[in-house]
Amino acid sequence: MPESITDEINRLKKERKAVILAHNYQRAEVQAIADFTGDSLELARKATQVEADVIAFCGVYFMAETAAILNASKTVLIPDASAGCPMADMITGEQLRALKAKHPGAIAVCYVNSTAEVKAECDICVTSGNAEKIMASLPKGREVLFVPDQHLGGYIADKRGEKYVLWPGCCPTHQRLTAKKIADARAAHPGAPVLVHPECPKDVRDAADECLSTGGMCAYARKSDAREIIVGTEIGILYRLRTENPGKTFWPVDDATVCPNMKKTTLENLRDCLRDLSPRVTVAPDIASKAKRAIDAMLAVS
Ligand code: 13P
Ligand code: SF4
């Protein structure tokens, strides 16, 4: 009997002393074989706790880069090195330096969906799971630059009654959701609460009942008495929601809400990266040490 691909991955994982971390948007079969699945904050935290020599990171590049920054002594692998996040690439280090020069004395905050070079220029990072808490922890009375997601920044600014200088970046996947699609989903599933991600535009957030990180959505689903829940985010999360809550029904707002980069990881390239110990994610030490300050500042608050 030839070895199945899942047996091969599990064998390689042991041989390499590896751990597999997967984001909530990964393909179902990748989440199923992972040792730990979570949102960006949970995965960043997990990356500081693993004892394995090798981390196979099933997500997009900035997430693997964050794990590498937090674990300089470990080998961090990404099954497909071209799995980027278009939002993270909407601001460069040079653009951020120019913005900071225009706003001397401002606090620079970046969404974790950013490159290591951008993190290295920032005072602190946030994720969608801790942004409100982090923004509340900042010293009062100073101007705040928030990059690169205008929607997460706008959402927290509105919630806290504050104003930030917002970089006009966005997530192309969440940008496809509309208030009309939410209204249609509500009409199709009356009474079901609607959860959306803070990367959605304002009118979409306003049309929803809850605006949550992917980890927040999983927690909501576990606690809620609702038997049906409408979900406005990348559809990969439906696998986890359905697996963890077999008695409940989850409806996507739009089943075309797909992040093509999250879908680049497959069992085949996961197996290959464990076998070849490549592609490996590394960050230049000078950038990594500066970026680590911003990530550590975040982890210290959340
Ligand atoms: P979460 O941290 O909520 O999982 O979000 C990450 C992300 O990229 C959403 O598009
Ligand atoms: Fe980036 Fe959007 Fe994909 Fe998240 S869903 S990784 S923000 S492109």
Side-chain angles (χ1 to χ4, degrees):
M1 274 276 281
E3 195 180 24
S4 73
I5 190 152
T6 51
D7 286 347
E8 238 183 313
I9 291 170
N10 285 321
R11 174 176 56 75
L12 286 163
K13 205 177 77 170
K14 273 203 203 116
E15 284 172 15
R16 301 299 193 201
K17 298 194 177 55
V19 65
I20 301 174
L21 305 186
H23 186 263
N24 291 325
Y25 293 161
Q26 289 288 293
R27 292 171 186 272
E29 62 274 23
V30 173
Q31 292 191 46
I33 205 161
D35 296 294
F36 181 82
T37 305
D39 67 11
S40 311
L41 178 61
E42 292 160 341
L43 292 170
R45 277 216 194 92
K46 198 73 191 170
T48 64
Q49 295 159 357
V50 295
E51 279 172 13
D53 297 340
V54 173
I55 300 175
F57 203 106
C58 304
V60 289
Y61 203 86
F62 77 82
M63 297 179 177
E65 217 173 37
T66 303
I69 291 165
L70 291 169
N71 273 295
S73 65
K74 295 195 194 296
T75 301
V76 177
L77 305 171
I78 186 162
D80 184 331
S82 75
C85 167
M87 185 209 296
D89 294 330
M90 286 180 188
I91 185 166
T92 62
E94 199 178 328
Q95 286 172 314
L96 179 52
R97 282 189 286 279
L99 183 69
K100 282 167 63 176
K102 275 212 243 160
H103 298 270
I107 303 173
V109 180
C110 64
Y111 188 21
V112 73
N113 296 39
S114 52
T115 62
E117 197 195 349
V118 164
K119 289 186 178 80
E121 291 290 334
C122 287
D123 297 292
I124 194 161
C125 289
V126 303
T127 74
S128 54
N130 64 14
E132 204 178 340
K133 197 167 174 187
I134 302 281
M135 300 314 279
S137 78
L138 298 182
K140 307 282 165 265
R142 275 174 66 189
E143 198 174 24
V144 172
L145 314 179
F146 192 103
V147 304
D149 187 12
Q150 60 183 304
H151 297 315
L152 176 65
Y155 170 63
I156 304 295
D158 287 354
K159 253 192 134 175
R160 294 190 40 77
E162 294 177 338
K163 285 230 174 315
Y164 310 140
V165 176
L166 300 174
W167 189 259
C170 69
C171 164
T173 299
H174 288 89
Q175 198 71 23
R176 296 171 58 121
L177 291 170
T178 60
K180 160 93 170 61
K181 288 181 184 175
I182 304 264
D184 290 348
R186 280 196 197 278
H189 311 292
V194 178
L195 318 183
V196 299
H197 197 274
E199 287 173 14
C200 292
K202 180 169 167 48
D203 59 335
V204 174
R205 299 192 307 264
D206 288 347
D209 297 297
E210 301 285 343
C211 189
L212 298 164
S213 70
T214 61
M217 289 181 187
C218 294
Y220 178 99
R222 278 194 295 273
K223 284 188 213 134
S224 170
D225 292 332
R227 306 315 297 166
E228 295 189 44
I229 298 177
I230 299 167
V231 182
T233 193
E234 213 279 348
I235 56 166
I237 197 174
L238 294 168
Y239 167 77
R240 182 161 168 205
L241 290 170
R242 288 170 179 157
T243 308
E244 289 182 352
N245 305 278
K248 297 177 184 169
T249 305
F250 297 91
W251 303 104
V253 171
D254 176 357
D255 60 14
T257 314
V258 174
C259 172
N261 286 287
M262 283 284 182
K263 300 299 181 255
K264 286 184 178 174
T265 310
T266 60
L267 289 182
E268 284 73 19
N269 57 25
L270 173 57
R271 184 245 348 250
D272 294 351
C273 87
L274 285 167
R275 183 191 60 209
D276 304 340
L277 289 180
S278 171
R280 194 173 164 177
V281 179
T282 54
V283 182
D286 54 329
I287 302 278
S289 66
K290 288 188 200 146
K292 188 169 184 300
R293 284 206 293 261
I295 302 167
D296 284 343
M298 166 184 89
L299 293 174
V301 176
S302 54

